[in-house]
Amino acid sequence: MKQILSFSAMMLMLLSFSICGTVQASNAGSKTSHENGTRITLTIGDIVIPAILHNTNPAKDLVSMLPVTVSLNRGPVDYCGGIAPIHYEKEDVQAGYHSGDLAYWIPGRDFVIFTETKKTASGVPDLVIIGQISTDIQAVRDLGSTIEVTIALDR
């Protein structure tokens, strides 16, 4: 019985890691706009990437944590990694994203930077889109397999 429980726990952990890198786009797209958003920066080494957080409660919850540094791992369509839980409501949750979107992925409690958009209508649900990169996403695409990102208010 102990072996079955250990195996089950290990499989759940592996599933969480594998899903983080394989979230796929749907046609839903982001539900929010940049209107009255909060300007932030994502600093990765010497690279500073401007972004804007949407004027939503989940984005405001992230702002209350700033500055924060997170370790993100490269997946096929994103960089993602654990962050403190972000509070959201049912209506904040969606399945789609666009390249350049910043999101909170609920099951993994991950901060996500989407770098690619897949041409598929299927998608993994449980995304809360909180913002968007304000520059060409190419600056983020090839930064390595693991990056440290400091998210801070743009001063």
Side-chain angles (χ1 to χ4, degrees):
M1 185 67 168
K2 282 185 181 179
Q3 290 176 339
I4 292 172
L5 290 175
S6 294
F7 179 75
S8 296
M10 183 185 314
M11 292 307 292
L12 282 173
M13 200 165 80
L14 289 173
L15 180 62
S16 174
F17 289 130
S18 67
I19 288 175
C20 184
T22 60
V23 173
Q24 296 179 357
S26 81
N27 294 329
S30 182
K31 295 180 185 176
T32 56
S33 72
H34 297 295
E35 194 173 317
N36 299 317
T38 302
R39 293 178 352 148
I40 62 167
T41 58
L42 306 173
T43 304
I44 306 155
D46 294 335
I47 300 168
V48 178
I49 299 163
I52 191 159
L53 295 178
H54 299 306
N55 188 21
T56 63
N57 288 332
K60 290 174 186 176
D61 194 37
L62 177 60
V63 167
S64 73
M65 299 179 209
L66 300 182
V68 64
T69 300
V70 294
S71 179
L72 305 180
N73 296 304
R74 184 72 168 120
V77 297
D78 61 23
Y79 279 99
C80 66
I83 193 167
I86 292 176
H87 296 77
Y88 60 91
E89 300 295 329
K90 184 178 179 180
E91 60 269 9
D92 298 318
V93 181
Q94 67 180 59
Y97 67 89
H98 296 287
S99 182
D101 275 352
L102 304 175
Y104 178 67
W105 186 57
I106 299 163
R109 293 184 180 168
D110 289 320
F111 176 78
V112 184
I113 302 171
F114 286 104
T115 59
E116 312 291 333
T117 298
K118 295 278 187 176
K119 293 184 180 186
T120 176
S122 66
V124 175
D126 302 326
L127 290 173
V128 178
I129 304 299
I130 56 176
Q132 178 78 31
I133 299 286
S134 300
T135 190
D136 184 5
I137 194 64
Q138 189 62 39
V140 182
R141 283 195 173 128
D142 302 314
L143 293 174
S145 60
T146 301
I147 58 175
E148 295 289 318
V149 178
T150 300
I151 308 164
L153 291 172
D154 188 4
R155 301 280 174 200

